[in-house]
Amino acid sequence: MVGVKQSMHLAAAILVVCGLKVRGAEAQAGQSLAMSANQRGSAASARARLEVRDLTVAAALVRLHESSGVPISFSPTMFPAAHRVSCRCQAVTVAQALDSVLKGLPFTHWVQGGQIVVVPLPRLRSDRQEPPEMQLVGLRRLEATGEIIAQMLKTRQPATLQSITQGGVVAGTVIDARSVPVEGARVSIPGRTGDALTNAAGRFRLENLTGATVEIRVVAIRYRPATAVARVGDLNLQITLSEAPVNLEDVIVTGTAGETRLRALGNAVGKIEASTVREVAPVSDVGQLLNARVPGVVLNSQSGAAGTGSRILIRGPASMTFDGYPLIYVDGVRIKGDPVSGPAVGGAGAPNAISRLNDLNPADIESIEVIKGPSAATLYGTEASNGVIQIITKRGRSGKARYDVRVRQGANWFMNAESRLQTTYWKNPATGVVDSLNILRLERERGNPSPFRTGHLQGYGLDLSGGAETFRYFAGVNFDRDEGMLPMNSSHRQSGRVNLTMTPSQRLEVNAGVATTVGRTTTYAAAYPSVVYLAAPNTLNAPSRGFQGTPPEVQAATRNLYQDLSRSTANVTVTHRPTSWFSQRIAAGLDLTNTEDVILIPRVPAEFESFFSPTGRLGSKDVARINTRYTTADYTGTLRLSLTKTLGSNTSVGGQYYSRLDETQGAVGEQFAALGVQTVTGATIRTGTENFVDNVTVGFYVQQQFDWRNRIFLTGALRGDANSAFGSEFKAVKYPKLSASWVISEEPFWKLGFVNQLKLRAAYGQSGQQPASFAAVRTYTPVPGTNDVAAATRQSPGNPNLGPERGKEIELGFDASLFDDRAGINVTFYNRRTTNAIVLREVAPSTGFDGSQFVNAGELRNKGLEMLVTARPIQTQSLAWDVSLNLSTNDNKVVRLGIPGATFLPVGFIPNRLQEGYPVGSYWSKRVVSADLDATSGRAINLMCDSGTGAAPLPCATAPPVFLGQPFAKVDGAIATTLALGRSLRLYGLVDFKRGVKHLNTNPLILCAFFLLAEINYYPERFPATQVAECQQGLAALGTSFIADAGYVKVRELSVTYDAPDRWARQLGASRASVTVGARNLHTWTKFGGLDPESHSVSGWLTAPHTEAVLPLPAAVITTISLSF
Amino acid sequence: MCRYRCYPRANLATHRLLDRWLLIGLAGVGAGCNTLDDLVSVDPPDRITAEVYEVPGNAPALVAGAIGDFECALASFIVGAGLTADELMVTGGNVHRYSYDRRSFAASGLLGAGFAIATCANSPNGVGVYRPLSTARGQADNVRILLEGWTDGQVPNRALLLATMAAYGGYSYLLLGESMCSAAFDLGPELTPAQIFALAEARFTQAITTGQNANNSDIVNMALVGRARTRLSLARKADAATDSRLVPVGYVKNATFSSSTRRRNNFVYSENRTDLVSVESPFWNLTDMGVSDPRVKATDTGRRGTQGNVPIWYQEKFTSLSTAIPLARGAEAQLILAEAEVAAGNLTAAVAIINTLHARSGVGLPPFAGGTATEVLSHIIYERSAELWLEGQRLMDIKRYNLPLVPPSGTPYPLGGVYGNETCYPLPDVERNNNPNTSD
């Protein structure tokens, strides 16, 4: 009996031919192939008997060959390693047995020269009578492969390509359209033996060639096959592969229900090939990796400070109360991905926006998948209505050890700060003279250093990967040290990751990974930029030199804010396939995040004492340690059955346990006893706090999928969750899901030749958003009572009926590749309703409760269109041009508040509302539509304001606040393009944009309405009277003067990448060397009058994005050197 | 230990099927648990569920907590009302206090309705009045009702605790009546200040009666001063005098503070010493009959606020974060009595009271010679402004005596805009929108 061992031998034999070495296996390959190679004729109709259970496809094919005597050529590496087959095929033909073995896989088989070859079918239409080009390539190659195998087995000698080839040589490089090397591409010559796989640098070499020229064929996963005519002896041939715009065989990690091929998915899933992006784009954190690459995934930058991150919003705001952050998974384990943390001083605009997502090293990431809404995220349950981001880290590949070295050097700065800063004004009452001040210019003229600096960016990384089939490894370390534009602002991060893949048997695969990150982000007090932005001409001769209250060097010397990070993540996934029809997987993991936020205000040195109050001079220290622990346990079992010849069934059941524990300890010391004392212990007044919040979710689901002819897929699922935050009267929640996909282009009736592939899809699903922990119960919280005795005060009235919000989403769309795969388009329409929306209903103070109450009351809606278009208009040997456009729209609206008597709820602290019929968090204020200017007093008079009803304007005193815009963009998108010139040079650019978004432009508001330091205060005649009126009304009528259009078009990324010639790389001992010079944020087109339409404060989820004290996104130039060994 | 999701098993009935379904699934992954509840039960953090906390054994802690709430609210009230009156002013920078100082309020929004949104310990982001006082009032009434439902056997000194809660509740009502244009209680209808004062009076009366039963003069005197102050606001001076006469001249009931937490700080001191608020000009270098008044100590720091145009003066009445603030005292009762004497035509008695206060140790002011009723009343008003400076009395005095606003309405506000003329805080939207018994 030939068993698994022999199948391995065959695999080994073919791998040898393919250029890979599996030591010790070559000489022992069975002879049955050699014998059967002589049997030619009616191979497909030969009788066969195949009884196998839970074997790999390769092993089953060996069995089939043995039982039938028919030679079968194939490459075992083509098949999914995890795929197992079973067959009780008695009295069948070889063709029928092959159909059974290959069922559900994108492969077909052909008879050629008396043998059967098995070839991939990624782009084959089933009704085609002639094999496509790719199949011919494989056919010829594999025919030749069979001959080599026969020769090899006859001689029983270890075979290598070199041992059986001599003569002329062709060598070269396989790259993609952006000139990025393609690793693992198969290079062959039709009609002749011997092929090769490309290495990390995309290099290949074919020998023993005859004649003057040869035709070279290249096949690689995700790419269209390519052909090139090469001169024998050409050692620098370059072959460019075009990426297939739609890959229905791509495997999507849907997390809960196991891997799924794209063709079976009824939802849109955004996917970012991180390694590909990083080849050209100057990205140094995960946020930059995500930005502007997946339609519907919107990143809202907050600050230009080093170490800060962005908020991620998928398909618009899904909640009226809770933040809209998606769940984050790394290798199947839920991790902390909160975008806002860090020490903050200064209230509005405080730079507390350190993103936990950026603790991950982007160089460790293989790919990112974005599951956008409830229709796709149902199985993730009660916390997934904001979407899910799955991050898949790199795994080792079998083969010799490979080293990758990266060095990043760069700089970032506040571009054109002097001209972007608002000039301030003041009228000296003694002289009547109006002084104007550009504080940066004045400081430069005074010879003083700028408050802003050019920050040095640097990073160093080393990866190691390799292994054998049974044990593979990836290890990476990274060190980053970035300085921000402020002298105290920097971010240091060191990280390491080890991923192991073990395959002790064909039935068992274990993936395990550990990662750790430590670092420190030093941030700044909000006052530092504010003293510059709000410069005061009236204090030019004061110690503050014209800065607002305090010169920046005093701020720098007396404020020390930083966050220390220590983070470890571990994950293990065991995949077990005990039978051919059943597999199961269990994943477990931990994510431990320990941060320490420190706000140290040292005792003020004598020379700066005059700037501080007697109490303020004494200093203070606030230390907050937050330990967060995420625990994941996830089980999935999948049952696969063939119900009929054309109807398959796939049943999954699973359960998850997630817990999150936040422990916080705080210590505050005030009034240091002496200079130099900087510990809480050394403070005169010391207080401590402790708190913890624990939350547990337990869920269970069942999913059933039917497929018909591998073209139509129907999926239904139901999930149930219980959560510790639900009220006592609310026990559990159930979420249903239904989806369908139809690869219509594979139907026999499909006639549209220019459409290569078309998949239609539709999905409906629900998921939830859990309430805040402990929102359900009436609570007290400990506080010191009178005379400091232990006591408590009433905290929350609670709501025992509280349950999760429920997101219900339907999405419709299609994925198509067009014009011989030169263009691809993905279009999705979504409509999501959040019902039982949790509203943070303010509690009437008269109840005696000091706070708010969560109630399931409201409803909101998000709908929009997402589109991704990719095209390759030009592709020649010397020039390739790729362009892509992603676009998403979002139309969100509060449908119903559900609070009797209330048509709106105020959110935030100035003008934002949740108002029925309007976007979430919309801006409301009075808008002056006409006014006159009293030339004598300089005051606006006869103010008339928008009535809000379309009727005639009303006197502003009685006019209502009117809708002035929304804080979330209506349209978001990006255009990216890559131009590859020749072999070595790639030019890349990405421009992204937002439309239909408003921000509160705070600094001009403060200057004109509160500090009276704006030009409009002293030269009102230079401005429209309505603007003068809104300035003088201040917060009472923000109008369009301060609620400003924050749409923009930004040149986000530009780069030039140069791949060094091989000989240069070899001189370094490397297989590949490349240099990328990139830039970020070089130019912005916008109507926004503030420093940057993107950066804004983070004081609340729905709070008006406003600009006080925030830093603009810096311009940056970054050079990256990459070497592979 | 009771865990967070411990609730009666019977409640599970409605979802028993799903529960069982989930458990079947969980059994498949080897969870090994008895019920779904066990799995999702977690320990509560620093929060304490009401059902656990509101028990007779915690009566002293409940009372201490309620008093703590009031003391915190009182300090915020003194700052807010002091800004609205002429005792304090904003130095600049922090816009959250402008509305108080500018005497211009809104029904919503943190900047216009900070009085309704900010909590008592919310510095530096605001100064609360309506919310913290409502919380203190609710706490006091809640604990009082709990005490009434318990027995003397369950709660030692129950009568005293009851009287205490009634007295502090009375003060919460009183301060709300003095500062709010209208207010509501326990989701009830909107009440006028007079109606609010009536509720305060009832609480004080209960405190006096119960305190006398408990034989505790401290609480009785506190309630007497509170009721006298309430009756003064109701223009029932004779009734106020009756209460005032019963209070010893040396009596003082303090609100206590400490440096332990921000919530326990003397907020008047911390607001002033962190340069957020300054002493307003009417109380700079205050003299009484040409002699510097030792009761109003304020010093010029020589510095100015962040915008460079508001001088920073420090008050010296409270000298630390833990300095107590008088809530009710005999001197106040005497001034109430003096005012009643003027109303009754007993000018000599009124002048005698003033001079008794002048002659106290630590004051040492020359005697007041007296004059017409108007002159005596005018001097009593001065006496109140000085004697009760930064004790939360000035705003009501301005309203009660219709004193001129300083600076006058319409004067440009140094930090932008102009001064208004509002001396009470409107019923905020947070109450109106969430209380079904208030009109829209």
Side-chain angles (χ1 to χ4, degrees), chain A residues 78-79 102 104-110 118-128 130-132 134-135 219 248-249 261 263 709-711 743 746 757:
Chain A
M78 296 188 300
F79 304 119
L102 299 174
L105 291 173
F107 291 86
T108 189
H109 52 86
W110 299 89
V118 179
V119 292
L121 186 60
R123 280 165 289 280
L124 176 64
R125 294 224 310 264
S126 62
D127 58 333
R128 282 190 177 172
E130 293 187 1
M134 178 179 164
Q135 284 181 298
V219 180
L248 296 182
E249 306 315 316
R261 283 181 301 150
R263 67 168 53 225
R709 292 187 185 278
N710 201 32
R711 296 199 289 264
V743 187
E746 292 181 1
Q757 289 190 108

Side-chain angles (χ1 to χ4, degrees), chain B residues 85-106:
Chain B
D86 52 9
E87 291 179 318
L88 298 171
M89 61 182 174
V90 175
T91 62
N94 194 307
V95 299
H96 296 95
R97 289 150 181 79
Y98 284 15
S99 59
Y100 283 106
D101 200 15
R102 203 159 40 190
R103 299 191 300 264
S104 176
F105 307 98

Side-chain angles (χ1 to χ4, degrees), chain B residues 268-325:
Chain B
V268 185
Y269 175 84
S270 65
E271 284 280 283
N272 183 223
R273 285 304 198 274
T274 52
D275 292 354
L276 289 167
V277 302
S278 171
V279 174
E280 194 154 6
S281 58
F283 293 88
W284 297 348
N285 304 318
L286 201 63
T287 58
D288 187 4
M289 293 173 293
V291 177
S292 178
D293 195 325
R295 297 169 294 185
V296 182
K297 295 178 183 173
T299 56
D300 185 0
T301 65
R303 294 180 291 112
R304 291 178 177 266
T306 53
Q307 293 166 52
N309 56 357
V310 178
I312 298 174
W313 282 65
Y314 281 170
Q315 60 78 31
E316 307 291 351
K317 180 169 183 170
F318 310 118
T319 55
S320 76
L321 292 172
S322 54
T323 304
I325 298 177

Side-chain angles (χ1 to χ4, degrees), chain A residues 582-645:
Chain A
F582 179 68
S583 64
Q584 55 186 343
R585 185 198 65 194
I586 187 163
L590 280 174
D591 178 37
L592 307 174
T593 307
N594 300 330
T595 57
E596 180 172 299
D597 291 353
V598 175
I599 302 170
L600 171 63
I601 302 174
R603 188 165 171 139
V604 175
E607 65 267 31
F608 295 149
E609 276 190 349
S610 63
F611 293 105
F612 297 90
S613 69
T615 303
R617 292 170 193 161
L618 302 178
S620 64
K621 187 174 188 181
D622 187 329
V623 182
R625 289 180 179 163
I626 304 171
N627 300 331
T628 305
R629 184 182 72 208
Y630 278 64
T631 306
T632 302
D634 182 349
Y635 170 82
T636 295
T638 302
L639 178 69
R640 286 181 290 270
L641 296 173
S642 296
L643 302 179
T644 70
K645 192 173 181 180

Side-chain angles (χ1 to χ4, degrees), chain A residues 913-959:
Chain A
R913 284 184 180 184
L914 293 166
Q915 175 139 350
E916 291 180 353
Y918 289 89
V920 175
S922 51
Y923 295 95
W924 289 76
S925 187
K926 294 182 182 182
R927 184 171 74 89
V928 180
V929 296
S930 68
D932 298 317
L933 186 65
D934 184 325
T936 306
S937 67
R939 295 196 65 81
I941 56 175
N942 304 325
L943 274 59
M944 300 296 287
C945 279
D946 187 346
S947 66
T949 61
L954 298 171
C956 287
T958 57

Side-chain angles (χ1 to χ4, degrees), chain B residues 19-61:
Chain B
D19 228 16
R20 188 175 303 151
W21 176 60
L22 288 167
L23 283 171
I24 290 169
L26 293 167
V29 298
C33 54
N34 292 324
T35 70
L36 187 60
D37 266 1
D38 292 338
L39 274 178
V40 299
S41 291
V42 296
D43 291 326
D46 67 340
R47 299 160 181 80
I48 311 164
T49 58
E51 62 180 337
V52 171
Y53 188 63
E54 291 177 345
V55 295
N58 282 335

Side-chain angles (χ1 to χ4, degrees), chain A residues 347-348 536 538-539 548-549 586 609-617 634-636 654-657 670-671 685-687 690-702 718-734 772-795 841-852 899-902 904-906 908-910 939 1009-1012 1032 1035, chain B residues 4-5 7-8 11-12 14-15 18-19 21-22 24-26 28-29 36-37 39-51 53-54 61-69 71 92-93 95-96 98 102 108-111 116-117 119-120 125 130-131 134-139 142-143 146 168 184-188 256-265 269 273-275 303 306-309 314 321 413-418 428-431 433-436 440:
Chain A
N538 53 325
T539 63
Q548 179 62 249
I586 187 163
E609 276 190 349
S610 63
F611 293 105
F612 297 90
S613 69
T615 303
R617 292 170 193 161
D634 182 349
Y635 170 82
T636 295
Q656 287 81 39
Y657 170 91
E670 297 176 276
Q671 301 182 12
I685 303 169
R686 299 181 295 274
T687 54
E690 181 183 8
N691 195 8
F692 68 90
V693 177
D694 197 358
N695 186 269
V696 175
T697 300
V698 176
F700 172 68
Y701 73 86
V702 57
L718 184 66
R719 182 184 172 103
D721 272 346
N723 183 284
S724 49
F726 296 171
S728 60
E729 300 302 319
F730 190 96
K731 300 304 178 297
V733 62
K734 288 162 279 188
S773 297
F774 309 104
V777 288
R778 190 160 65 93
T779 55
Y780 279 77
T781 188
V783 294
T786 185
N787 292 311
D788 282 356
V789 301
T793 187
R794 281 203 288 188
Q795 185 182 47
R841 178 180 180 169
E842 291 174 308
V843 175
S846 71
T847 61
F849 280 96
D850 178 15
S852 304
I899 297 177
F904 76 90
L905 290 177
F909 74 98
I910 304 182
R939 295 196 65 81
F1010 297 108
F1011 287 4
L1012 310 180
Q1032 292 172 351
L1035 295 172
Chain B
Y4 170 58
R5 272 182 67 90
Y7 45 81
N11 289 345
L12 281 172
T14 53
H15 289 268
L18 177 60
D19 228 16
W21 176 60
L22 288 167
I24 290 169
L26 293 167
V29 298
L36 187 60
D37 266 1
L39 274 178
V40 299
S41 291
V42 296
D43 291 326
D46 67 340
R47 299 160 181 80
I48 311 164
T49 58
E51 62 180 337
Y53 188 63
E54 291 177 345
L62 284 161
V63 170
I67 298 174
D69 282 346
E71 290 173 336
V95 299
H96 296 95
Y98 284 15
R102 203 159 40 190
S108 61
L110 190 58
L111 300 187
I117 296 170
T119 61
C120 70
N125 293 322
Y130 186 63
R131 185 181 290 276
S134 293
T135 301
R137 194 282 313 165
Q139 293 281 60
N142 181 54
V143 176
L146 288 170
Y168 279 95
F185 304 94
D186 295 324
L187 298 180
T256 67
F257 297 94
S258 80
S259 59
S260 64
T261 65
R262 190 180 298 279
R263 178 184 172 83
R264 291 290 303 148
N265 289 168
Y269 175 84
R273 285 304 198 274
T274 52
D275 292 354
R303 294 180 291 112
T306 53
Q307 293 166 52
N309 56 357
Y314 281 170
L321 292 172
Y413 185 59
L415 304 173
V418 295
D429 286 343
V430 65
E431 181 68 42
N433 293 339
N434 299 294
N435 180 344
D440 290 333

